[in-house]
């Protein structure tokens, strides 16, 4: 019930978007008529706000909530316990399908009603918005079909998170193809905006049947699967010597699912930047490649992976008993915390390096000069690393104070807010006629602990115009406050997380 309530509250976000658009359009067009204003706001909501909102928040939430909850129940033995009673596997699976439909319905109704009520409060027409928002929200039904297909593979909470994140990354990649039965591609072709909003029934007819087929395939796989109880906790044998202790954690990290998942996800997400490099190269030539490298190294999608994986670090170790087993050895809490942090930072470093190398290599393939491209890749890749370590530290903070579902849910919401919503809001509020945008943005961004926002400021300092060659990298030093905000919150998050973990009850 708490999850549904939080999901409904999140779906009220379009009301905020309406207020932003009303202020923006009335400032640019003071004499605009209510009919024209309603059309502009509806078009902006349906073409920009809602597709990104559904794609980058509700899709990963739906995938990860369903898969991690099922995996958690399976890990605890609840699935086997329920199926030992007069309950068929088919009925049990249909219960999860119904739960997913409830989550999708709550999200869709919240998105439609919140935006419509906000528009009505300004005396605007809402019919087209209601039709378009409900049509776009059908993409969540397609995501539900994918979640139900993967459901039988989730054998633990951690594996459910990895499966959900993996499915989300693959959906982002597949969204580049023009196939309306893919939920992320469906968002681009589900509606068309002319004098009024029209729904593509061809897109709807491709999405819903495929979702139904995937759900049936998942149910059949679950029905045929051999169910086993959760495996007992097993830990590799190793010697706890002070000199080699952190090396042991590092070695374990290289074999961990978190490390493998993060490196794989970052490698896949690097291919999302290929389109930006191609687009900038065609539009602006060689300067465009340089500016595209700076922009894509922002890694806007990566927090959606790093923050949940950071959240798993402490909470999962406490829940599955790993911490209690390790601390029964001659090992202090400080050693466990620092060793785990070292291994996770190393995983983030390898993933970031892989991400940057793929983008730099493709820029070189397009004809960018070696020296300048490597220079930009090294500097802005380092800024990306600082940003992702900050998201990792925030995940540790959530992991230390919260457990299980709540921390996972909040980590996904914070990843969306800090990497997308906050930067967009601050940039929109920083338009000033008296000063340059980057100077105003640098001042307005200082109170906001958003690594992506501070990276944007530093990127704009070097690359203010897409069609012009980048300035000297020393321009970054003109904004020491934004540089500091990539480091200071990280130290604060980790300090608080350690103080909490040091006194936490690990039972």
């Amino acid at each position: 019930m708490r999850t549904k309530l939080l999901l409904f509250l999140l779906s009220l976000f379009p009301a905020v978007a309406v207020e932003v658009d009303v202020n923006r359009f009335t400032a640019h067009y003071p004499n605009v008529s209510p009919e024209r204003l309603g059309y502009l706001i509806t078009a902006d909501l349906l073409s920009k706000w809602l597709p990104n909102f559904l794609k980058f928040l509700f899709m990963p939430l739906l995938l990860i909530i369903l898969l991690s909850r099922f995996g958690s129940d399976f890990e605890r033995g609840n699935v086997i316990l329920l199926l030992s009673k007069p309950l068929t596997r088919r009925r049990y699976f249909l219960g999860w399908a119904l739960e997913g439909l409830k989550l999708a319905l709550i999200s869709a109704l919240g998105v439609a009603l919140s935006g419509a009520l906000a528009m009505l409060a300004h005396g605007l027409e809402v019919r087209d918005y209601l039709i378009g928002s409900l049509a776009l929200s059908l993409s969540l039904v397609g995501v539900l079909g994918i979640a139900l297909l993967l459901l039988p593979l989730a054998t633990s909470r951690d594996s459910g998170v990895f499966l959900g994140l993996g499915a989300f990354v693959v959906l982002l990649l597949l969204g580049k193809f023009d196939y309306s039965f893919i939920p992320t591609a469906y968002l681009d072709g589900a509606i068309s905006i002319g004098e009024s909003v029209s729904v593509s029934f061809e897109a709807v007819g491709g999405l819903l049947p495929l979702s139904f087929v995937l759900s049936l395939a998942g149910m059949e796989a679950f029905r045929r699967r051999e169910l086993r109880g959760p495996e007992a906790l097993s830990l590799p044998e190793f010697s706890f010597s002070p000199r080699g202790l952190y090396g042991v954690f590092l070695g374990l990290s290289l074999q961990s699912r978190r490390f493998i998942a993060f490196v794989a996800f970052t490698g896949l997400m690097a291919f999302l930047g290929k389109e930006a490099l191609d687009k900038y190269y065609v539009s602006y030539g060689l300067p465009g490649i340089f500016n595209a490298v700076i922009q894509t190294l922002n890694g806007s999608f990566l927090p959606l992976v790093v923050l949940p994986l950071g959240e798993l670090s402490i909470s999962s170790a406490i829940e599955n008993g790993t911490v209690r087993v390790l601390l029964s050895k001659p090992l202090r809490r400080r050693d466990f915390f620092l060793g785990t942090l070292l291994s996770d930072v190393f995983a983030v470093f390898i993933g970031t390096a892989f991400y940057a190398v793929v983008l730099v290599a493709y820029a070189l393939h397009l004809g960018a000069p070696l020296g300048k491209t490597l220079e930009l890749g090294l500097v802005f890749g380092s800024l990306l690393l600082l940003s992702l370590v900050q998201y990792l530290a925030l995940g540790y903070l959530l992991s230390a104070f919260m457990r299980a579902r709540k921390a996972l849910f909040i980590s996904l919401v914070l990843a969306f807010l800090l990497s997308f919503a906050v930067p967009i809001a601050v940039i929109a509020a920083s338009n000033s006629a008296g000063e340059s945008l980057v100077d105003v943005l640098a001042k307005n961004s200082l109170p906001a602990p958003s690594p992506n926002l501070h990276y944007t400021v530093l990127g704009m300092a070097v690359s203010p115009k897409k069609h012009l060659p980048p300035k000297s990298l020393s321009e970054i030093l003109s904004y020491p406050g934004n540089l500091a905000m990539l480091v200071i919150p990280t130290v604060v998050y980790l300090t608080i997380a350690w103080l909490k973990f040091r006194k936490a009850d690990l039972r």
Side-chain angles (χ1 to χ4, degrees):
M1 183 63 186
R2 187 177 299 175
T3 300
K4 295 183 179 67
L5 177 61
L6 291 173
L7 207 58
F8 179 75
L9 293 176
L10 282 177
S11 66
L12 302 181
F13 176 80
V16 178
V18 169
E19 297 302 321
V20 172
D21 275 355
V22 167
N23 293 330
R24 182 160 62 95
F25 287 126
T26 53
H28 283 82
Y29 310 106
N31 299 319
V32 65
S33 65
E35 293 78 12
R36 182 62 179 170
L37 179 61
Y39 174 82
L40 291 174
I41 292 176
T42 299
D44 196 51
L45 287 174
L46 297 180
S47 63
K48 296 179 181 178
W49 288 98
L50 289 192
N52 288 324
F53 185 55
L54 291 167
K55 183 187 299 183
F56 297 115
L57 182 58
F58 276 106
M59 285 188 181
L61 273 176
L62 187 59
L63 285 166
I64 293 174
I65 286 175
L66 280 178
L67 292 170
S68 64
R69 285 174 62 178
F70 178 85
S72 180
D73 280 358
F74 190 91
E75 189 175 27
R76 295 174 181 175
N78 293 343
V79 174
I80 297 175
L81 179 63
L82 286 172
L83 293 178
S84 65
K85 301 178 179 181
L87 178 67
T88 65
R89 293 194 184 194
R90 185 176 286 109
R91 288 182 59 189
Y92 180 76
F93 187 90
L94 288 175
W96 282 98
L98 181 61
E99 179 69 13
L101 281 174
K102 289 179 182 177
L103 296 177
L105 181 61
I106 289 171
S107 304
L109 290 178
V111 165
L113 293 177
S114 62
L117 291 175
M119 293 179 68
L120 283 174
H122 291 280
L124 305 175
E125 175 63 40
V126 300
R127 176 181 176 276
D128 285 343
Y129 172 77
L130 285 173
I131 294 173
S133 62
L134 290 174
L136 291 175
S137 297
L138 285 176
S139 62
L140 297 179
V141 178
V143 172
L144 175 61
I146 296 171
L148 293 175
L149 176 66
L150 297 175
L151 203 68
L153 302 178
T155 57
S156 66
R157 174 174 170 262
D158 287 7
S159 67
V161 173
F162 298 145
L163 284 170
L165 288 174
F168 172 62
V169 172
V170 171
L171 281 176
L172 290 180
L173 290 171
L174 295 178
K176 304 300 180 182
F177 299 97
D178 189 21
Y179 298 115
S180 59
F181 55 81
I182 300 172
T184 45
Y186 169 86
L187 291 172
D188 296 327
I191 59 174
S192 58
I193 304 173
E195 292 300 321
S196 61
V197 173
S198 59
V199 179
S200 171
F201 293 102
E202 181 182 354
V204 175
L207 179 77
L208 296 184
L210 181 62
S211 176
F212 181 71
V213 170
L214 293 178
S215 302
L216 290 179
M219 181 169 64
E220 185 64 19
F222 179 71
R223 192 177 67 84
R224 294 175 178 274
R225 179 184 169 184
E226 179 183 359
L227 298 180
R228 297 178 181 176
E231 297 179 1
L233 175 67
S234 60
L235 294 172
E237 295 294 332
F238 53 86
S239 173
F240 288 88
S241 62
R243 176 179 297 179
L245 182 60
Y246 300 139
V248 166
F249 278 102
L250 198 59
L252 293 177
S253 171
L254 293 174
Q255 306 172 46
S256 69
R257 286 177 295 180
R258 282 203 310 275
F259 175 83
I260 297 171
F262 181 72
V263 173
F265 295 159
T266 50
L268 289 172
M269 285 189 168
F271 289 99
L272 293 172
K274 176 181 176 295
E275 182 180 5
L277 289 169
D278 288 332
K279 179 180 178 182
Y280 275 54
Y281 177 60
V282 171
S283 301
Y284 309 112
L286 190 58
I289 298 179
F290 292 140
N291 294 318
V293 168
I294 295 173
Q295 178 180 312
T296 52
L297 282 175
N298 192 339
S300 300
F301 305 130
L302 293 178
L304 295 167
V305 174
V306 176
L307 235 173
L309 293 182
E311 181 275 328
L312 291 175
S313 297
I314 302 298
S315 62
S316 290
I318 293 175
E319 288 189 3
N320 63 24
T322 301
V323 171
R324 291 190 293 274
V325 174
L326 286 175
L327 294 181
S328 66
K329 310 281 186 179
L331 178 70
R332 295 170 296 181
R333 291 194 183 201
R334 183 184 65 186
D335 297 325
F336 172 80
F337 187 88
L338 291 177
T340 304
L341 177 62
L342 172 65
S343 65
D344 285 341
V345 169
F346 182 72
V348 171
F349 171 76
I350 295 296
T352 304
F354 188 30
Y355 182 83
V357 165
V358 171
L359 293 176
V360 168
Y362 190 71
L364 294 175
H365 169 72
L366 292 176
L370 177 63
K372 185 66 173 179
T373 306
L374 291 179
E375 186 181 44
L376 291 173
L378 180 62
V379 171
F380 285 95
S382 300
L383 295 178
L384 173 61
L385 177 62
L386 291 176
S387 300
L388 295 182
V389 170
Q390 186 171 137
Y391 283 111
L392 178 71
L394 182 56
Y396 269 61
L397 182 64
L398 294 175
S399 188
F401 278 88
M402 304 175 189
R403 300 286 175 87
R405 298 173 186 174
K406 183 186 294 186
L408 181 61
F409 187 94
I410 293 178
S411 70
L412 289 167
V413 174
L414 284 177
F416 173 79
L417 292 176
L418 295 178
S419 60
F420 290 100
V422 171
I424 290 173
V426 175
I427 291 172
S430 298
N431 290 312
S432 172
E435 298 180 67
S436 67
L437 175 60
V438 64
D439 291 332
V440 176
L441 183 59
K443 295 177 183 177
N444 293 344
S445 64
L446 287 178
S450 168
N452 288 78
L453 178 59
H454 297 292
Y455 180 102
T456 299
V457 172
L458 300 174
M460 290 177 64
V462 176
S463 174
K465 301 291 184 181
K466 298 177 181 178
H467 61 281
L468 297 177
K471 297 180 180 180
S472 170
L473 289 173
S474 61
E475 293 291 328
I476 291 175
L477 301 178
S478 302
Y479 301 93
N482 298 99
L483 274 173
M485 284 299 291
L486 291 178
V487 177
I488 293 174
T490 303
V491 177
V492 174
Y493 295 154
L494 290 176
T495 301
I496 297 174
W498 158 243
L499 293 176
K500 174 64 176 177
F501 179 74
R502 185 177 64 175
K503 298 182 179 180
D505 182 4
L506 304 178
R507 291 175 293 176

